[in-house]
Amino acid sequence: MPVANIHVLAGHPRPVLKALLREASAAFAKAIEAPADRLQVWITEVDPELYAIAGEPADEVMQQVPRGQAEIPLIRMALMEGRSTEMLHRVMADLSEVTARVLGGDPQRVRVQIPDRWAIGGVPASRARAAELAARSAAQATA
């Protein structure tokens, strides 16, 4: 059974979280071409006092920065093997977009993990961070 667990900071209004459940479920089902009754989506709220952003407790960060600019939602998915790379990229992009839109955040802050695959803002991490990884590699080669 395909599952998606969306981790967010606690404190979002319940109607927003319910809207996220509905919209993420619909986008997930469409992206993986599966009936909605064959998948599950749930939300895990994390206490902002127990979540660090740039090494600082999130509750303190959000006193200085709006939630949408601070929060980094994480979507973890479990899917059966055999799904195409194109389908996996589509589900990463679609769930990132829905999560950011419903929560009022920046899509570039959403992270998605499918075992052995990561996405940043809906873009496979290997593509999103290609330049950064190349620069690190070059710096290590010259060190």
Side-chain angles (χ1 to χ4, degrees):
M1 173 179 293
V3 298
N5 183 0
I6 305 171
H7 298 260
V8 300
L9 290 174
H12 291 280
R14 286 291 185 220
V16 169
L17 296 178
K18 286 182 176 184
L20 179 56
L21 284 172
R22 287 184 180 97
E23 292 192 40
S25 294
F28 192 23
K30 182 177 179 183
I32 65 169
E33 301 169 1
D37 66 347
R38 297 277 175 95
L39 57 86
Q40 292 183 6
V41 175
W42 67 89
I43 295 171
T44 299
E45 292 183 286
V46 180
D47 183 339
E49 292 180 1
L50 304 176
Y51 180 103
I53 299 171
E56 298 297 325
D59 65 321
E60 295 174 16
V61 172
M62 289 190 303
Q63 290 174 9
Q64 301 170 30
V65 178
R67 175 185 286 270
Q69 293 176 16
E71 185 169 29
I72 304 171
L74 169 64
I75 305 167
R76 289 187 168 156
M77 286 185 259
L79 299 166
M80 289 185 351
E81 290 184 31
R83 302 207 187 259
S84 71
T85 299
E86 178 182 304
M87 181 179 283
L88 296 176
H89 290 181
R90 185 171 56 245
V91 74
M92 290 176 178
D94 292 355
L95 287 181
S96 293
E97 185 279 325
V98 165
T99 300
R101 181 175 41 76
V102 173
L103 297 179
D106 178 356
Q108 295 303 312
R109 297 190 65 76
V110 178
R111 302 298 187 258
V112 179
Q113 180 192 22
I114 299 173
D116 299 325
R117 296 177 189 264
W118 280 87
I120 300 169
V123 177
S126 59
R127 288 188 205 160
R129 296 289 193 250
E132 180 182 330
L133 295 173
R136 282 188 203 165
S137 180
Q140 289 175 349
T142 60

